[in-house]
Amino acid sequence: MREKLFRYLQSRRHIAIVTLGGWIVAGLVILLFSPYRIHDWVETNRYVLMWAEIVLLLLVAILFANDASDAQHQLELLSESEKRETQRSVDMYNFYDERGELKLSVKPDRLYYLEAADNYVKIHYSNGGRIEKLMIRNTLKNIEWRFRDMGLVRCHRSYIVNLNKVQVLRRQEGEVLLDFGEEKIPPIPVSKGYGEKMLSLLAK
């Protein structure tokens, strides 16, 4: 949405620049090719031209000021929308596929981890006392961005974990593992690139 907004505002700036350039080119054409004595006319009406230039510059400045104001307003609305989405997601994690279709809603205390599987993501969660998994077509990168700062943390190239469900972090045979305290859920590895980040988050 941010990219669409910036493209829209950028297009308005392009229109203003093209229009201004067109006026300048038209003025040069008139000066160079007009059969009338343009130079004498310019000399006679130099104050009129000066004020016309000032008005033109003011119009361009107003256009850019409105663009900046519109951008600020739209970004504020977008920020508020994201905040509301974050507040809703605290009570329920909503998972969508790459087409934007809702595939799973699960409470945070039921979700354990997510696992990459080629172009799909496996969601591991509990339901009725059983550990279940659902596969959706999406990427961990998209999910990581959507649920940033909401308890779902990337710990490996292939895994995102629900930090609130992690019970134990331990080192074993040169690797760091996250344990959920569930017999049916295997420990999740932490890659070296995410080790310090995980230790810092769990320490809090």
Side-chain angles (χ1 to χ4, degrees), residues 31-46:
L31 286 173
L32 293 175
F33 300 105
S34 175
Y36 299 102
R37 302 183 63 182
I38 298 298
H39 295 289
D40 292 341
W41 182 86
V42 169
E43 180 65 23
T44 303
N45 298 278
R46 61 182 183 275

PDB file of all heavy atoms in Angstrom, residues 31-46:
ATOM      1  N   LEU A  31       9.164  33.046 -28.638  1.00  0.00           N
ATOM      2  CA  LEU A  31      10.243  34.020 -28.714  1.00  0.00           C
ATOM      3  C   LEU A  31      11.093  33.849 -29.970  1.00  0.00           C
ATOM      4  O   LEU A  31      11.543  34.817 -30.584  1.00  0.00           O
ATOM      5  CB  LEU A  31      11.128  33.916 -27.470  1.00  0.00           C
ATOM      6  CG  LEU A  31      10.564  34.473 -26.164  1.00  0.00           C
ATOM      7  CD1 LEU A  31      11.477  34.141 -25.002  1.00  0.00           C
ATOM      8  CD2 LEU A  31      10.362  35.976 -26.265  1.00  0.00           C
ATOM      9  N   LEU A  32      11.312  32.583 -30.363  1.00  0.00           N
ATOM     10  CA  LEU A  32      12.213  32.318 -31.475  1.00  0.00           C
ATOM     11  C   LEU A  32      11.554  32.439 -32.841  1.00  0.00           C
ATOM     12  O   LEU A  32      12.182  32.849 -33.816  1.00  0.00           O
ATOM     13  CB  LEU A  32      12.834  30.923 -31.325  1.00  0.00           C
ATOM     14  CG  LEU A  32      13.791  30.744 -30.141  1.00  0.00           C
ATOM     15  CD1 LEU A  32      14.236  29.297 -30.032  1.00  0.00           C
ATOM     16  CD2 LEU A  32      15.002  31.660 -30.303  1.00  0.00           C
ATOM     17  N   PHE A  33      10.282  32.058 -32.931  1.00  0.00           N
ATOM     18  CA  PHE A  33       9.669  31.932 -34.250  1.00  0.00           C
ATOM     19  C   PHE A  33       8.488  32.880 -34.503  1.00  0.00           C
ATOM     20  O   PHE A  33       7.905  32.858 -35.579  1.00  0.00           O
ATOM     21  CB  PHE A  33       9.196  30.486 -34.456  1.00  0.00           C
ATOM     22  CG  PHE A  33      10.310  29.486 -34.364  1.00  0.00           C
ATOM     23  CD1 PHE A  33      10.443  28.685 -33.238  1.00  0.00           C
ATOM     24  CD2 PHE A  33      11.243  29.363 -35.385  1.00  0.00           C
ATOM     25  CE1 PHE A  33      11.473  27.769 -33.153  1.00  0.00           C
ATOM     26  CE2 PHE A  33      12.279  28.445 -35.300  1.00  0.00           C
ATOM     27  CZ  PHE A  33      12.399  27.647 -34.186  1.00  0.00           C
ATOM     28  N   SER A  34       8.102  33.643 -33.517  1.00  0.00           N
ATOM     29  CA  SER A  34       6.970  34.539 -33.728  1.00  0.00           C
ATOM     30  C   SER A  34       7.367  35.687 -34.666  1.00  0.00           C
ATOM     31  O   SER A  34       8.458  36.262 -34.538  1.00  0.00           O
ATOM     32  CB  SER A  34       6.484  35.112 -32.395  1.00  0.00           C
ATOM     33  OG  SER A  34       5.462  36.062 -32.640  1.00  0.00           O
ATOM     34  N   PRO A  35       6.479  36.037 -35.610  1.00  0.00           N
ATOM     35  CA  PRO A  35       6.802  37.146 -36.536  1.00  0.00           C
ATOM     36  C   PRO A  35       6.677  38.511 -35.882  1.00  0.00           C
ATOM     37  O   PRO A  35       7.114  39.506 -36.440  1.00  0.00           O
ATOM     38  CB  PRO A  35       5.740  36.981 -37.643  1.00  0.00           C
ATOM     39  CG  PRO A  35       4.592  36.327 -36.948  1.00  0.00           C
ATOM     40  CD  PRO A  35       5.191  35.417 -35.916  1.00  0.00           C
ATOM     41  N   TYR A  36       6.079  38.550 -34.702  1.00  0.00           N
ATOM     42  CA  TYR A  36       5.893  39.834 -34.045  1.00  0.00           C
ATOM     43  C   TYR A  36       7.163  40.251 -33.297  1.00  0.00           C
ATOM     44  O   TYR A  36       8.057  39.427 -33.045  1.00  0.00           O
ATOM     45  CB  TYR A  36       4.707  39.768 -33.076  1.00  0.00           C
ATOM     46  CG  TYR A  36       3.404  39.434 -33.769  1.00  0.00           C
ATOM     47  CD1 TYR A  36       2.889  38.147 -33.698  1.00  0.00           C
ATOM     48  CD2 TYR A  36       2.719  40.400 -34.506  1.00  0.00           C
ATOM     49  CE1 TYR A  36       1.711  37.827 -34.350  1.00  0.00           C
ATOM     50  CE2 TYR A  36       1.540  40.083 -35.157  1.00  0.00           C
ATOM     51  CZ  TYR A  36       1.033  38.802 -35.081  1.00  0.00           C
ATOM     52  OH  TYR A  36      -0.129  38.480 -35.719  1.00  0.00           O
ATOM     53  N   ARG A  37       7.195  41.470 -32.914  1.00  0.00           N
ATOM     54  CA  ARG A  37       8.363  41.995 -32.198  1.00  0.00           C
ATOM     55  C   ARG A  37       8.230  41.641 -30.714  1.00  0.00           C
ATOM     56  O   ARG A  37       7.873  42.470 -29.878  1.00  0.00           O
ATOM     57  CB  ARG A  37       8.468  43.499 -32.425  1.00  0.00           C
ATOM     58  CG  ARG A  37       8.574  43.879 -33.917  1.00  0.00           C
ATOM     59  CD  ARG A  37       8.737  45.357 -34.094  1.00  0.00           C
ATOM     60  NE  ARG A  37       9.979  45.842 -33.486  1.00  0.00           N
ATOM     61  CZ  ARG A  37      10.327  47.127 -33.481  1.00  0.00           C
ATOM     62  NH1 ARG A  37       9.529  48.048 -34.010  1.00  0.00           N
ATOM     63  NH2 ARG A  37      11.455  47.500 -32.922  1.00  0.00           N
ATOM     64  N   ILE A  38       8.522  40.373 -30.427  1.00  0.00           N
ATOM     65  CA  ILE A  38       8.333  39.851 -29.067  1.00  0.00           C
ATOM     66  C   ILE A  38       9.233  40.565 -28.078  1.00  0.00           C
ATOM     67  O   ILE A  38       8.835  40.850 -26.943  1.00  0.00           O
ATOM     68  CB  ILE A  38       8.584  38.334 -29.052  1.00  0.00           C
ATOM     69  CG1 ILE A  38       7.578  37.631 -29.956  1.00  0.00           C
ATOM     70  CG2 ILE A  38       8.497  37.797 -27.619  1.00  0.00           C
ATOM     71  CD1 ILE A  38       6.134  37.807 -29.523  1.00  0.00           C
ATOM     72  N   HIS A  39      10.473  40.886 -28.500  1.00  0.00           N
ATOM     73  CA  HIS A  39      11.409  41.495 -27.561  1.00  0.00           C
ATOM     74  C   HIS A  39      10.903  42.846 -27.072  1.00  0.00           C
ATOM     75  O   HIS A  39      11.019  43.175 -25.890  1.00  0.00           O
ATOM     76  CB  HIS A  39      12.787  41.643 -28.223  1.00  0.00           C
ATOM     77  CG  HIS A  39      13.428  40.333 -28.562  1.00  0.00           C
ATOM     78  ND1 HIS A  39      13.925  39.490 -27.607  1.00  0.00           N
ATOM     79  CD2 HIS A  39      13.614  39.729 -29.758  1.00  0.00           C
ATOM     80  CE1 HIS A  39      14.419  38.410 -28.191  1.00  0.00           C
ATOM     81  NE2 HIS A  39      14.232  38.527 -29.508  1.00  0.00           N
ATOM     82  N   ASP A  40      10.339  43.599 -27.967  1.00  0.00           N
ATOM     83  CA  ASP A  40       9.781  44.883 -27.552  1.00  0.00           C
ATOM     84  C   ASP A  40       8.596  44.670 -26.603  1.00  0.00           C
ATOM     85  O   ASP A  40       8.427  45.404 -25.618  1.00  0.00           O
ATOM     86  CB  ASP A  40       9.318  45.677 -28.780  1.00  0.00           C
ATOM     87  CG  ASP A  40      10.492  46.110 -29.646  1.00  0.00           C
ATOM     88  OD1 ASP A  40      11.629  46.114 -29.113  1.00  0.00           O
ATOM     89  OD2 ASP A  40      10.272  46.414 -30.824  1.00  0.00           O
ATOM     90  N   TRP A  41       7.806  43.661 -26.916  1.00  0.00           N
ATOM     91  CA  TRP A  41       6.648  43.373 -26.050  1.00  0.00           C
ATOM     92  C   TRP A  41       7.095  42.935 -24.663  1.00  0.00           C
ATOM     93  O   TRP A  41       6.517  43.355 -23.653  1.00  0.00           O
ATOM     94  CB  TRP A  41       5.799  42.274 -26.698  1.00  0.00           C
ATOM     95  CG  TRP A  41       4.561  41.945 -25.913  1.00  0.00           C
ATOM     96  CD1 TRP A  41       3.360  42.556 -25.973  1.00  0.00           C
ATOM     97  CD2 TRP A  41       4.431  40.913 -24.932  1.00  0.00           C
ATOM     98  NE1 TRP A  41       2.469  41.996 -25.093  1.00  0.00           N
ATOM     99  CE2 TRP A  41       3.112  40.967 -24.442  1.00  0.00           C
ATOM    100  CE3 TRP A  41       5.296  39.948 -24.415  1.00  0.00           C
ATOM    101  CZ2 TRP A  41       2.657  40.098 -23.473  1.00  0.00           C
ATOM    102  CZ3 TRP A  41       4.837  39.089 -23.447  1.00  0.00           C
ATOM    103  CH2 TRP A  41       3.522  39.168 -22.984  1.00  0.00           C
ATOM    104  N   VAL A  42       8.166  42.091 -24.636  1.00  0.00           N
ATOM    105  CA  VAL A  42       8.693  41.647 -23.344  1.00  0.00           C
ATOM    106  C   VAL A  42       9.205  42.825 -22.540  1.00  0.00           C
ATOM    107  O   VAL A  42       8.969  42.931 -21.328  1.00  0.00           O
ATOM    108  CB  VAL A  42       9.798  40.588 -23.546  1.00  0.00           C
ATOM    109  CG1 VAL A  42      10.533  40.309 -22.231  1.00  0.00           C
ATOM    110  CG2 VAL A  42       9.211  39.308 -24.116  1.00  0.00           C
ATOM    111  N   GLU A  43       9.911  43.716 -23.195  1.00  0.00           N
ATOM    112  CA  GLU A  43      10.447  44.895 -22.503  1.00  0.00           C
ATOM    113  C   GLU A  43       9.318  45.743 -21.943  1.00  0.00           C
ATOM    114  O   GLU A  43       9.407  46.252 -20.826  1.00  0.00           O
ATOM    115  CB  GLU A  43      11.305  45.710 -23.469  1.00  0.00           C
ATOM    116  CG  GLU A  43      11.917  46.956 -22.851  1.00  0.00           C
ATOM    117  CD  GLU A  43      12.913  46.628 -21.749  1.00  0.00           C
ATOM    118  OE1 GLU A  43      13.456  45.483 -21.762  1.00  0.00           O
ATOM    119  OE2 GLU A  43      13.150  47.484 -20.879  1.00  0.00           O
ATOM    120  N   THR A  44       8.255  45.863 -22.709  1.00  0.00           N
ATOM    121  CA  THR A  44       7.130  46.689 -22.277  1.00  0.00           C
ATOM    122  C   THR A  44       6.371  46.043 -21.122  1.00  0.00           C
ATOM    123  O   THR A  44       5.891  46.736 -20.215  1.00  0.00           O
ATOM    124  CB  THR A  44       6.161  46.920 -23.452  1.00  0.00           C
ATOM    125  OG1 THR A  44       6.878  47.520 -24.535  1.00  0.00           O
ATOM    126  CG2 THR A  44       5.006  47.818 -23.033  1.00  0.00           C
ATOM    127  N   ASN A  45       6.299  44.746 -21.121  1.00  0.00           N
ATOM    128  CA  ASN A  45       5.468  44.031 -20.143  1.00  0.00           C
ATOM    129  C   ASN A  45       6.318  43.188 -19.177  1.00  0.00           C
ATOM    130  O   ASN A  45       5.867  42.150 -18.701  1.00  0.00           O
ATOM    131  CB  ASN A  45       4.476  43.116 -20.872  1.00  0.00           C
ATOM    132  CG  ASN A  45       3.528  43.877 -21.758  1.00  0.00           C
ATOM    133  OD1 ASN A  45       2.535  44.413 -21.293  1.00  0.00           O
ATOM    134  ND2 ASN A  45       3.843  43.921 -23.050  1.00  0.00           N
ATOM    135  N   ARG A  46       7.527  43.644 -18.896  1.00  0.00           N
ATOM    136  CA  ARG A  46       8.416  42.832 -18.051  1.00  0.00           C
ATOM    137  C   ARG A  46       7.861  42.657 -16.640  1.00  0.00           C
ATOM    138  O   ARG A  46       8.056  41.634 -16.011  1.00  0.00           O
ATOM    139  CB  ARG A  46       9.813  43.435 -18.001  1.00  0.00           C
ATOM    140  CG  ARG A  46       9.907  44.832 -17.428  1.00  0.00           C
ATOM    141  CD  ARG A  46      11.354  45.321 -17.482  1.00  0.00           C
ATOM    142  NE  ARG A  46      11.508  46.628 -16.869  1.00  0.00           N
ATOM    143  CZ  ARG A  46      11.299  47.756 -17.510  1.00  0.00           C
ATOM    144  NH1 ARG A  46      10.906  47.755 -18.778  1.00  0.00           N
ATOM    145  NH2 ARG A  46      11.471  48.921 -16.888  1.00  0.00           N
TER     146      ARG A  46
END
